Amino acid sequence: MIIAIAWRNVWRHRLRSMVVMLAAALGIFGTLFMIALSNGVVEQKIADSIHNEISHIQIHKPEFLQDNVLQHAMQDAPEISNVAQGIPGIKGVSSRIKTMAMASTASNGAGVIINGIDPETEKLVTGIAGSVIDGTYFEGESRSPQILISRKLAGNLKAKTGSRIVITIQNTDGELIYSLFRVAGIYKTANALFDEPNVFVRRSDLAELTGFDPALSTEIALLLHRTEDTDKTVAMLEEIYPGLSILPWYVIEPTLNMQSGMMDQFSYFLLVIILAAMAFGIVNTMLMSILERTRELGMLMAVGMNKKKVFIMIMLETIFLSGVGALVGIAMSYLTITLTSRNGINFAAWADGFESLGYSALIYPTIYASFYFWLAVLVMITAMFASVFPARKALKLNPAAAIRHEA
Amino acid sequence: MGIIITKDLRKIYSETKVPVYALNGVSVTIEEGEFTSIVGPSGSGKTTLLNMIGGLDNPTEGEVHINGVNVTTLPSGKLIDFRLHHIGFVFQSYNLIPVLTARENVEFIMQLQGVPKKERAARAIELLESVGLSDKIDNRPGDMSGGQQQRVSVARALASKPRFILADEPTANLDSKSTAELLDIMLKMNEKHKTTFIFSTHDQRVMERARRIITIEDGVVAKDEF
């Protein structure tokens, strides 16, 4: 019956309780949605980086990481590709000839990272083929070798599809050579910082231009089916090729992991603020409720309700008050996050700003299911702590005086 | 030997420069089955005496023995338990739990005592019928008149099967008809079940029905009439 009394007491001042519950619900909804949105931004960034830029794992000669020149090619690249393709969990393998170059048009010039790729195998590893917004992805033949450049670079070079671009590059002997490429397509990923320097050409064209052995590579990129398998696969490859540098995505791009960690900390901080605000609101409401019920509490203690039961009753009221608010907030968050995560929220109006920082303007809010559970647990714990002060206040009442208290 | 014995009870309030003697040596003995009124003008000390007997307040000096137990020496937790099992309370402002129905209010005391659900439900209905509220069993206090609420309060006081019932000005907020009905019910309980009733009152209607009147004036027993 104590549970029934506590529950009904919550609804004695329906409007007041509902205002407190609504405040808790909105606070929790706002917090959860903000966290889901932040998670979405970071996870999207990680996914975009992995699928468009760095892949899950990259293999190089250690020297290549110090100096990106063609001389640091992996001699056993074909074997590594074959072995990697046989490892379970690996979705795609792309062997690249990657080095630095200079791209110039009649109007302008820019330093670029030139990626010599096999267009078909690259499709299995990165989403560049799907990011082409103008022209084609290495389709058909042309008299000049084809090049794929980003919209950002095209703007800088004042180039468009069909334009000619001169690529100046060091050959395998270290001599500077140049060649004419024709822009086959213009691509655009969500990360302008990646787009600006990266250009893509056929590896056969680049090998021919530079005198590079077409069977070799300077970089092998691996895409996995599951990001969670990254460490396991890296360990496996390190065992087979101890002399090579085999790097997981978070080492290649350490800021990704850092952002994820920062976002976690931000979430916890936000959560603590909201729970503290909720606790103060609830303490205030419960104190008011206890003041109003002084005579009733005095009567309960006079007729024989012991302190433990009075304490439990007040704690239950506090838990109900915050619990209902939390449940409504969690339900609102769950529905909103589930609905918006299907199609994402498009911040198209601020797309340029997002992309210049390397983020996608289309955000898919996401949150771990366990987060809802732990939040509910935290709300309960907060409610328990919040009930201590009002309950102590009630227990200090002198029944004889409380019974005669004028409301 | 009486079920309630007070020995030289004194209650002195020293918060002011001049100490106030709310009780100044009250010794009374109340036997089982009595229907007693404690009367006196406002501030005479009758409520203080009732609070001491009910274990709601501690005397500055003296002792209260209930059923042979010196309740003034009981620690707080045991005193609450003692009240639950030995004393029934009826308050001036009824003091029912507003969120519970009449039946639940009566059952609540029995639940605190650990009476099984079926037993307490049956007893609650029986008690409410005995105070003439069989048609108000599922009503909440807010849906009942003052007289009806006070009858629920009597049923609640009886629910714990106490040794005696303390009623602090039980008719102060009631009209004549409700007062008469309430007194009839309490007298019937007293005669039928030998339930001991002790009232504090300055209501003439209650005094007329009481079998013993203890008059308190300035914290001392001025008269004790049977």
Side-chain angles (χ1 to χ4, degrees):
Chain A
M1 199 176 279
I2 288 176
I3 297 172
I5 294 175
W7 175 250
R8 291 181 203 175
N9 277 338
V10 168
W11 298 106
R12 266 163 105 152
H13 292 277
R14 198 174 289 263
L15 184 65
R16 187 171 71 193
S17 295
M18 283 177 80
V19 167
V20 174
M21 287 171 183
L22 194 66
L26 287 176
I28 284 168
F29 167 71
T31 309
L32 281 179
F33 194 66
M34 272 297 292
I35 291 170
L37 214 55
S38 308
N39 280 347
V41 170
V42 171
E43 289 196 8
Q44 187 79 7
K45 166 77 176 159
I46 292 173
D48 281 348
S49 294
I50 289 172
H51 290 95
N52 287 331
E53 304 161 24
I54 56 177
S55 314
H56 284 110
I57 299 167
Q58 287 184 2
I59 306 172
H60 308 94
K61 267 181 96 169
E63 298 83 351
F64 183 80
L65 298 175
Q66 307 299 321
D67 190 7
N68 298 353
V69 293
L70 297 173
Q71 285 81 349
H72 301 313
M74 289 178 281
Q75 298 303 317
D76 41 3
E79 186 209 317
I80 298 168
S81 289
N82 283 337
V83 169
Q85 273 161 359
I87 293 175
I90 291 183
K91 192 178 171 190
V93 178
S94 176
S95 282
R96 298 170 184 153
I97 304 169
K98 187 173 181 179
T99 188
M100 310 301 287
M102 180 79 179
S104 43
T105 60
S107 311
N108 224 334
V112 295
I113 300 166
I114 190 160
N115 294 272
I117 56 166
D118 176 74
E120 290 311 308
T121 54
E122 188 64 29
K123 276 184 189 171
L124 301 172
V125 177
T126 62
I128 293 299
S131 306
V132 174
I133 54 168
D134 190 28
T136 61
Y137 176 75
F138 300 110
E139 282 171 17
E141 293 295 324
S142 66
R143 273 182 293 170
S144 311
Q146 294 179 330
I147 187 166
L148 199 64
I149 62 170
S150 66
R151 189 177 71 170
K152 181 90 178 164
L153 184 65
N156 292 348
L157 297 179
K158 294 193 171 55
K160 54 187 182 186
T161 308
S163 297
R164 286 179 297 183
I165 289 179
V166 175
I167 293 290
T168 309
I169 193 168
Q170 263 190 345
N171 67 10
T172 48
D173 296 327
E175 290 167 358
L176 275 181
I177 48 158
Y178 60 89
S179 181
L180 198 65
F181 283 78
R182 190 170 294 277
V183 177
I186 292 174
Y187 75 91
K188 179 186 163 294
T189 71
N191 185 0
L193 298 174
F194 169 81
D195 287 2
E196 195 170 355
N198 278 286
V199 300
F200 295 85
V201 298
R202 281 197 174 93
R203 54 176 288 137
S204 52
D205 292 339
L206 191 58
E208 192 183 330
L209 172 67
T210 57
F212 190 83
D213 183 346
L216 306 186
S217 302
T218 55
E219 176 177 284
I220 297 174
L222 310 177
L223 188 74
L224 308 179
H225 287 288
R226 289 159 22 106
T227 302
E228 302 90 286
D229 292 339
T230 305
D231 289 342
K232 192 176 74 181
T233 314
V234 167
M236 205 183 290
L237 287 164
E238 277 176 341
E239 205 170 305
I240 304 170
Y241 300 107
L244 292 176
S245 164
I246 299 162
L247 302 178
W249 60 270
Y250 53 84
V251 176
I252 302 165
E253 201 64 74
T255 53
L256 293 178
N257 233 16
M258 207 175 75
Q259 281 175 21
S260 178
M262 263 178 65
M263 217 45 96
D264 282 348
Q265 286 192 357
F266 165 75
S267 304
Y268 297 137
F269 188 63
L270 200 63
L271 208 60
V272 167
I273 292 174
I274 288 294
L275 289 175
M278 193 181 86
F280 280 112
I282 283 168
V283 167
N284 186 39
T285 307
M286 287 306 296
L287 282 176
M288 210 187 301
S289 168
I290 283 178
L291 186 71
E292 285 168 357
R293 286 156 53 201
T294 299
R295 202 154 66 182
E296 189 181 318
L297 288 164
M299 177 277 292
L300 289 171
M301 289 192 266
V303 299
M305 190 170 179
N306 62 34
K307 291 186 173 186
K308 189 175 144 196
K309 285 181 174 140
V310 173
F311 191 93
I312 289 171
M313 183 180 77
I314 291 166
M315 186 176 275
L316 283 173
E317 283 179 36
T318 318
I319 289 173
F320 288 147
L321 197 61
S322 38
V324 171
L327 280 178
V328 172
I330 287 173
M332 281 162 63
S333 311
Y334 177 76
L335 283 175
T336 315
I337 293 168
T338 306
L339 287 174
T340 52
S341 66
R342 286 188 192 150
N343 300 316
I345 303 173
N346 198 349
F347 292 91
W350 301 280
D352 286 344
F354 271 101
E355 285 163 11
S356 67
L357 294 169
Y359 294 99
S360 168
L362 184 63
I363 298 169
Y364 296 87
T366 175
I367 206 160
Y368 294 116
S370 61
F371 202 88
Y372 294 115
F373 170 76
W374 287 114
L375 179 67
V377 171
L378 279 175
V379 168
M380 292 300 117
I381 293 170
T382 308
M384 281 181 190
F385 276 110
S387 69
V388 171
F389 184 53
R392 275 173 59 92
K393 199 98 179 155
L395 295 181
K396 279 183 185 167
L397 291 173
N398 172 347
I403 287 163
R404 295 187 157 262
H405 178 85
E406 290 300 324
Chain B
M1 189 179 160
I3 56 165
I4 302 165
I5 301 168
T6 71
K7 291 181 182 170
D8 201 21
L9 277 185
R10 287 173 205 275
K11 182 70 179 177
I12 305 162
Y13 293 105
S14 315
E15 287 95 13
T16 52
K17 281 181 184 171
V18 184
V20 177
Y21 288 78
L23 290 180
N24 196 8
V26 174
S27 298
V28 290
T29 298
I30 292 168
E31 303 291 340
E32 190 164 17
E34 280 193 17
F35 199 77
T36 299
S37 276
I38 299 171
V39 303
S42 291
S44 59
K46 55 186 188 301
T47 298
T48 307
L49 176 60
L50 220 63
N51 284 343
M52 304 273 167
I53 294 171
L56 297 175
D57 203 355
N58 281 323
T60 312
E61 284 174 36
E63 292 173 0
V64 178
H65 291 257
I66 293 170
N67 239 14
V69 177
N70 183 356
V71 296
T72 47
T73 58
L74 286 178
S76 163
K78 284 200 171 162
L79 190 58
I80 292 173
D81 203 49
F82 188 87
R83 287 202 297 264
L84 177 64
H85 290 93
H86 294 87
I87 309 172
F89 289 90
V90 176
F91 304 101
Q92 180 181 338
S93 306
Y94 331 130
N95 284 1
L96 297 172
I97 303 171
V99 294
L100 298 184
T101 62
R103 184 177 56 79
E104 288 168 336
N105 262 288
V106 178
E107 264 192 65
F108 181 63
I109 298 291
M110 291 184 273
Q111 198 197 14
L112 291 177
Q113 288 181 314
V115 176
K117 194 175 179 180
K118 269 191 181 171
E119 193 184 323
R120 64 177 194 248
R123 183 162 163 75
I125 292 169
E126 184 190 312
L127 283 166
L128 286 168
E129 281 171 352
S130 72
V131 296
L133 290 173
S134 50
D135 58 335
K136 301 283 180 189
I137 281 170
D138 292 319
N139 283 32
R140 287 194 181 182
D143 302 326
M144 288 188 269
S145 69
Q148 288 167 336
Q149 286 186 57
Q150 197 61 300
R151 280 189 271 160
V152 175
S153 173
V154 170
R156 179 181 67 184
L158 289 163
S160 62
K161 297 183 181 171
R163 295 306 307 269
F164 60 91
I165 289 176
L166 290 176
D168 185 15
E169 312 234 16
T171 58
N173 294 339
L174 302 183
D175 58 29
S176 305
K177 187 169 171 268
S178 300
T179 299
E181 282 172 356
L182 187 75
L183 287 169
D184 285 344
I185 287 164
M186 292 200 282
L187 269 169
K188 194 174 85 184
M189 298 290 176
N190 174 256
E191 282 162 8
K192 198 173 165 188
H193 304 294
K194 297 283 172 234
T195 309
T196 310
F197 280 88
I198 302 137
F199 307 90
S200 78
T201 188
H202 36 44
D203 186 338
Q204 196 58 40
R205 296 166 298 186
V206 178
M207 290 183 221
E208 281 166 10
R209 310 283 290 268
R211 298 208 191 87
R212 179 184 176 187
I213 298 175
I214 300 169
T215 307
I216 306 278
E217 278 174 19
D218 299 326
V220 294
V221 177
K223 268 191 276 180
D224 191 352
E225 302 161 290
F226 286 87

